[in-house]
Each structure stands twice: as structure tokens, then as C-alpha cells.
Amino acid sequence: MMIRSLYARLSLGLFVLLITVGLVYASISLIALRSYQASVNQELNRNLAQNLVSDRNLVDEGKLNHDELKELFSLYMTINPSIEIYLIDIKGTILSYSADPDKIKRNSIAMDPIHKLLSDNEAYPLLGDDPRSHDRQKVFSATPVPSADNIEGYLYVVLRGEEYDSAELMAREGHFFVMSAWAVAISLGFGMLAGLAVFHLLTRRLTRLAQGVEQFQNQLTSDSPRTSNTAGDEIDYLASTFERMSTRINLQLEQLQEKDALRRQLIAQVSHDLRTPLASLQGYVESLLIKRHSLSDEEQARFLTIALNEARRLGRLVDELFELAALEACEKQPVAEPFSLPELIHDVVQKHQPVASGKKLNLSINGDLSLPMAYGDLGMTERVLDNLIGNAMDHTPEGGNIKLTLGQEEQLLTVTVHDSGSGIAPSDLPYIFDAFHRGTSGRSASHAGLGLAIARRIMMLQQGSISASNDKVQGAIFVIRLPLFTSNTHTIKDDL
């Protein structure tokens, strides 16, 4: 994230901006310097052409002395090679000149700049055509010859000739450009350092905030979405983090609303299911108190037995409620270990065999008894099997069969509990594991406890599952699935 940080982006932007400003400044300075030099040069040499005419006696008896003009050309080519002298007629046609003939590109020059210079001495810099180029213009000096009263032509002096341009180019490439480059580099360097310092002061709080948010993200539980900031700066990171946190908070709010609705429904269902045994218990106890003198010993014993059974039913319901609450809150965690599933089935069947015999039910074990080791909580798995076998015995008529079948599905071991009872109403199958669900018909109509809800939660905590279905012929089928123990098996608690 540091490579794409806001500080780095601001620094890069400042660097590009300073380079751009430096180039623009250098360009403008060069143009301004050239304009300034041209203005100064033209101001200093404003009367050069007029002085040449008067000093060199180019006008003799009101006429232009061409011999003196040629001598003037030759003299100034030697003394001052930075200027170029041209003689032009009143239309601008070049008649003669001091420059190299091979380098003359124009036959005539525009007269408007000459007329403007002669009429307005303050118009600086004023550029005229350069005979050595088709498009270049330079500062100049001009005067009419032989006189302003009798104009036959003009003496046109280019103040910055080709020799001057060559000398200026060499100087610019040497000392001037070196000094300018150093000046611009020092200015840009100072501006860059100052900008970096200011940007650091401006972005350090944002950087600390982004680091704090990142630490908070790293401290979240393992089930929270983890995404790395592969692109963008701190602002982009904060925006994406805020979006993820907003999504997570909205999801948690929805879950809280859903759990609150379930809590209200659970309270209503618990109140209803607790009210029945309480009312029955209270009724029989009150009857016993009111009619104890008129009731026989057998009737009193029957009333007490019924009241005791209702109290036990109430106690079981309360215990199941606390157990489910502990499982849902993850207060009760499985302690996973490898164990023999066939041995556990044998022990559970032996425990329930006396009750099954009393109800004249055939409780049997089938399937593969040489299965490998299962991986889970032995006590919790026994709790699930007790619930399934107890439900099967409650809903199987006398003379019926309850079969426990062991099997394996890839990396899962299975235990199938198949009874020959009335089965489960098809409309109630999707809700058979919901707490306090009451079916509309069959065995599910009497299901009002928490045993199956507890069983499902236990199997989920063990990374297993439980399912229910009806046999095509008769009875219900419950299947639990447990993980197979392997050398790569890790603790279940790590995945919770």
C-alpha cells in the first residue's frame, strides 16, 4: 500500500508539476529575454542607419554615392559582422547588400514595418523581414536615402544578423544554459523538498487512520471477509474498508433482526410448551390438596405419579432449552477425538435394550462393523444417538423394528436409524429439526421438544450432518454423518 500511498501520489504529482512549471518558466523566460534583448538592441541602434548615411557620406549633392555604399558594405562586414546592411527601393526590392549572396533568400522585404518604425520611434521591438530567410523576422534600423524629402530608397540594417545568431547560439548552449539549468534545478529541488514536507504534515494523520483501520481489520475473526488493497491509496483503502464494514454491519443487523424474531417466536413457543406441564402439574397438586380426604390411596398415588411425570417432563424441557442455548451461543464446544463408531453403537443399543424389550420392540445393529475410526465428540455423538433411538421407540408400535445401520460415504461415516413407525408427514419434513416445531399429522404432530434441534446443532459443531426422510414402505429414516479420522485431520475447534 505504501507504493500507491496518497503521499507517494502527491509527491509524484508535485514532481511532475514542478518539472512542467520549470519547462514553462524556462520557455517564457527565454522568449521574454529574447524580446527584451531585441528591444534594447533596437533602442540602442535606432539611428544606426541614419548615422551610417551621414558619417560615410553616402549622399553626395542629393544623390546616393554607390561607391561609398560598397565600401561601407565591405567595412562593416569586417568591423561589425553582427549587422547586415541592405539597400532597397521604395517598394522594398533589394538592390544591394553586404551579406553573402549565396545566403540571400528574398528579393524584397515588406515595407509596413519600415514605415511604422520611421513614424513611431517607441514601437519596440518592431520586427522586419530577414532577407536570409523566407519566414524569419528580426529587429532592424532604417532610414530613407538620399533624404526624407527626396526618397529614392532606404538603407535597411538588420541588427542581429547571421553572425550574431551563431554567437548567441554558442553562448546559450554554453554558459547561459548551464546557469539557467542550475537555477531551475535548485529552485525545483527546493520546491520539491518544501512540498514533500508539507504533504507529509497533511497526510500523516490520514496514514495513521488507515493503519488503525488495517489493524482493526486484522483483529477481526476468521469468518470476516479479508481482502487486500491491491490498488489505490489510503483514501481508496478507507473507502473499500468502509464499504466492507457497512456490508458486514448491515448483514449483522439483518441477522440480529432475524434472531430477535426467532427469539420472540421461541419465547412464545417455550411459554406455550412450559404452560402445559405446569398447568397439568398445578391441577393435579391442587386436586390432591382439595380432595385428599375423599381420595383413596390408589387415586392419591395416581395423582402424585401424574404430577411427578409432568414435573419430569418440565425438567427435561428446561434442560433441553438450556442445552440448546449453550450450543447456539458456542458456550459448549465439542472435544474432538478419534473413536470407534461401532463400539459406541453397541453401548448405546445396550443402554436402550431394556426399554425396547419392555415395549416389545426389536432393536438391532446392521452394516459394516469394521469401520475405521470416526472423529468427533464421543459424548455429544452419544447424545444424538440417544435422542434418535428414544424418538424411534416413542413412535414405533409394539412388535415393531428399529434398525441401526453403519456405513461409509467417502470421507464420512454414517449411522442410519430406521424405525417401522408412522413416519413423518411430508409437509413437516423440512421443519422437523426446528425448535418447538409442531407437525400437522402423524408422528410430527407430537414433536414439540428440542431434541432434534439439539441433534442438528451438535452435528454441525462436529462438521457432520443429520437428515430425515420417510421410508417408501413404512417408518422414518434418520441419518447422521461424522468425519472420518485421518492422519491429516485437524481439531474441529480451529474451524469454529
Side-chain angles (χ1 to χ4, degrees), residues 295-334:
L295 295 175
S296 62
D297 293 340
E298 291 78 7
E299 289 177 330
Q300 291 184 13
R302 183 172 66 84
F303 277 29
L304 289 174
T305 301
I306 294 175
L308 180 60
N309 290 335
E310 292 296 329
R312 289 173 176 171
R313 176 186 171 192
L314 181 62
R316 286 194 302 270
L317 189 59
V318 172
D319 290 340
E320 289 179 347
L321 182 62
F322 278 110
E323 183 179 6
L324 180 61
L327 291 172
E328 292 290 345
C330 296
E331 295 176 358
K332 188 175 183 181
Q333 297 289 342

Side-chain angles (χ1 to χ4, degrees), residues 53 56-66 68 146 152:
V53 172
R56 299 300 301 174
N57 299 318
L58 294 182
V59 178
D60 184 16
E61 297 179 357
K63 294 183 180 181
L64 184 65
N65 189 338
H66 290 277
E68 287 292 335
E152 295 181 4

